[in-house]
Amino acid sequence: MKPILIYTLTLFLAFNIHAQEKKTLSAYRTEETIKIDGLLNELSWSNSNIADSFSQIEPFPEQKASIKISVKMAYDNTAIYIAAEIEDNPDSIFKIFTPRDDIESSDFFEILLDPYNDGLKAFSFAISAAGVQYDASIQNDNNDENWNAVWYAAVNHHKTGWNAEIKIPYSELRFNASEIQNWGLNFFFNLRRRREFSAWNPINVKLNNILVQNGILTGLKNIEAPLRLSFMPYTTGYVIKSKDENIWGTSFKGGLDLKYGINESFTMDMMLIPDFGQVESDEQILNLGPYETYYDEKRTFFMEGIDLFSRAGIFYSRRIGGQPARFSQVYDMIYDNESVLTHPSELQLLNSTKISGKTANGYSIGLLNSVSAQSFAEIQDTITGEKREILMQALTNYNISVVEKSLPNNSYISFINTSLSRFTDQYYANNTGFESNFQTRSKKYRLFSKGAVSYKTQSSFEKNTGFFLRNYMQKMEGNFQFLLGNNIESYTYDPNDIGYIQQNNEISNFGEFFYKEFTPAKFYNSWSVGFEFEHKMLQNPITLVEYFGYFTARLETKKNLYFGLWGGLRPTDKFDYFEPRTAGYVFVIPPSNFGGVWISTNYAKKLALDISSEGSIVNEWKNNYLFLQIKPRYRIGNRILSIYSWSITKKTNEKGYVEKYDNQVIFGNRDFQSITNSFETSYIISKNASFNLRFRHNYAHVIYSHFMALTTQGELINTNYIAENANINFNALNLNATLTWQFKPGSEISVVWKKDLVSSQYFDSYYYFDNLSQSFQLPQINSLSVRVLYYIDYQNIKNII
């Protein structure tokens, strides 16, 4: 579907329906000191207005909440205060102790604040019945739970229920400087035993966007954001045994995180000499495909408040401080009489700075800059002992800048630029993109578009430019919803120096159609069915790749059991131009069928279970794929949760790329099997202290039966190729034990032990337990670290002075 047609349809559908009337609550200005203890005995609460009459979001939309919840709000010159009274049977309250930000197993009270009242960005603060805090920054209905503010909350249980009392300093919020302010506001309550979720301002479940359905907070006058300046110095001590040595070494690192409020709307975050040694290890796998493995970001700095930088999908934060550019080339750059002594797999960041905020007239601005140091591999001559260095990556600067304008009807348009500069290599990469979201006045339809241009150059001689564009129109409200769109990526589009895509050179048209039933009936709470399709072609030359379609179905029962299944087919050959990894070749795959099923039981029970399975069949090759995962979870008391996961992946008679040999593209007929066992247990010592243990072992083996040569027409023919040690045993083992204590808001001590192993070493046995046993005998990286981070608020220092 052409973009001009989508725009025309959207304008045609841009009619207005009457929005529901929003509830309002006026906050009380207090002059007394409110103690956050959950007792609610201050005079301010007696004088405050009441917000009540909550209505359900689920399981019975728009019905009255089954328990009474009353909320009051007050404010002074430094903070905003919330008091909630929940009337409930004390013996029925779910008060499970969990880590911070993981409160869904408990009853909890939540407040949503949208200081700009534009339905695009908000802040969520919640407190569970056990006193565990949750906070998140919400951008366009996407929750960023890595955002952690410093705020205060307490609960008090009594014979008629429980109270929640919250203090949110203005320093943790972003708002304009108007004398009189109206904020978007809503309150939510989770009643776990009934799987009931309710809201103060009613929520239309048939409309996807929750932020546009907030009520209004009034009464805020003459509030000013204080100087927001905080320091988080840290020190980390390590005891490390590298994988090739039998002795333990020690190291000591220190650094500083700084947060500065440039004004009431903009904040600067800075890391000086950052250290990520305590970050959880990646779940590595054996990757036989043509595309780089994608790993989620786990470093807090690059996870917190990063939504604005995700516009147009051209920024992949793992590039910053990631693997050096010439890491995989080192062993090709040494001589026969040389060995590699050190081969760092990650770059050392020198600093990272992030500035973000929103102006009073609706402009959101984000700037992110990082610098990584030079990275060298150390090489030694085995005969003379002489050492030399190989530069794997020069000093590198990464820069991302974003400007976004809020538009009427919760719409927006963004422009983003990402760049990488390796100055001594004279290598530069630059991606410039846009993203827009235009919604009708009724919030029922939207047109979403994003696109980018990539550019890179080296030494002013080699230049490369490409582009991509994606559009879709979506109906977001009602029982019947749909999405129709197209996508194009030029054959020269390459954002991967600071972004991530698996493949370029593609044109695709796609659609999704769903019917959802939200109203509970005798045997179910909700259900949905859908159909999706996609048609793919190469962009250059324009030729068919594949097309396929599949259906989905989902059901939630009255006992809160979730079922789902899906299935589909690809009725014609697939023409894969990427698996051969050689220009001018195509790999032809016969038609296939595929599908899957999953079930999830009620997490409110002590024992819950998730099961999922999927598979596919290529009949002509008798090529079968099967995946099965079984994931039980068991809660012991109110403080211990254990989750075990076992999964297996099997592929028989799979055909895939092996290598280029003697001007031939060699493919192999292989059987693949992978088994993953993981176990995680959390013990919550108190609401501010916890212990977490996580173990994961992934084993995979590949056995080749015979080899073939691929022709340019996609046929597999006989060859005289003989492989040596082509079969693979792969083991990835991770063990992480973490003890964390937040000894004051924003400050913590963490002790982390990590054991990591990744090996493709060949073993005689293909049995899982043999490989697990032998993995523990291989060289591994072991580290024990203690990190102390102390939060220093300038306001506290100023008061002392």
Side-chain angles (χ1 to χ4, degrees), residues 750-769:
S750 56
V751 182
V752 177
W753 175 47
K754 296 173 65 176
K755 177 189 285 287
D756 293 310
L757 161 73
V758 177
S759 173
S760 293
Q761 182 170 336
Y762 177 76
F763 296 140
D764 293 332
S765 173
Y766 287 113
Y767 291 105
Y768 173 82
F769 287 105

Side-chain angles (χ1 to χ4, degrees), residues 501-544:
I501 61 167
Q502 288 193 338
Q503 65 185 55
N504 54 14
N505 195 17
E506 178 181 282
I507 299 176
S508 64
N509 297 283
F510 52 88
E512 302 175 7
F513 303 89
F514 290 96
Y515 182 86
K516 302 179 180 180
E517 182 54 65
F518 301 96
T519 305
K522 185 175 182 180
F523 300 107
Y524 62 82
N525 285 335
S526 65
W527 60 269
S528 66
V529 293
F531 172 75
E532 301 182 33
F533 72 88
E534 187 164 6
H535 178 277
K536 295 183 179 180
M537 299 182 293
L538 285 189
Q539 186 267 331
N540 185 22
I542 294 180
T543 184
L544 176 68

Side-chain angles (χ1 to χ4, degrees), residues 101 238 266 272 301 312 376 429 443 463 479 547 573 592 601 625 726 746 790:
D101 291 338
Y238 289 92
F266 284 84
L272 300 177
F301 180 87
F376 295 91
K443 316 298 188 301
K463 297 182 179 180
N479 295 91
Y547 61 89
D573 290 344
S592 65
T601 66
Y625 156 71
Y790 193 82

Side-chain angles (χ1 to χ4, degrees), residues 357-374:
K358 188 171 185 176
T359 67
N361 54 0
Y363 284 95
S364 296
I365 299 173
L367 299 171
L368 193 156
N369 187 266
S370 297
V371 179
S372 64
Q374 298 181 97

Side-chain angles (χ1 to χ4, degrees), residues 460-499:
S460 301
F461 298 110
E462 299 179 17
K463 297 182 179 180
N464 183 52
T465 304
F467 72 92
F468 100 91
L469 180 65
R470 183 179 182 88
N471 303 287
Y472 63 79
M473 183 184 70
Q474 183 179 11
K475 180 178 182 287
M476 303 182 297
E477 190 268 344
N479 295 91
F480 174 69
Q481 301 182 19
F482 67 83
L483 181 152
L484 290 170
N486 57 25
N487 183 81
I488 180 171
E489 295 164 351
S490 73
Y491 73 100
T492 53
Y493 179 64
D494 183 7
N496 276 339
D497 285 287
I498 198 167

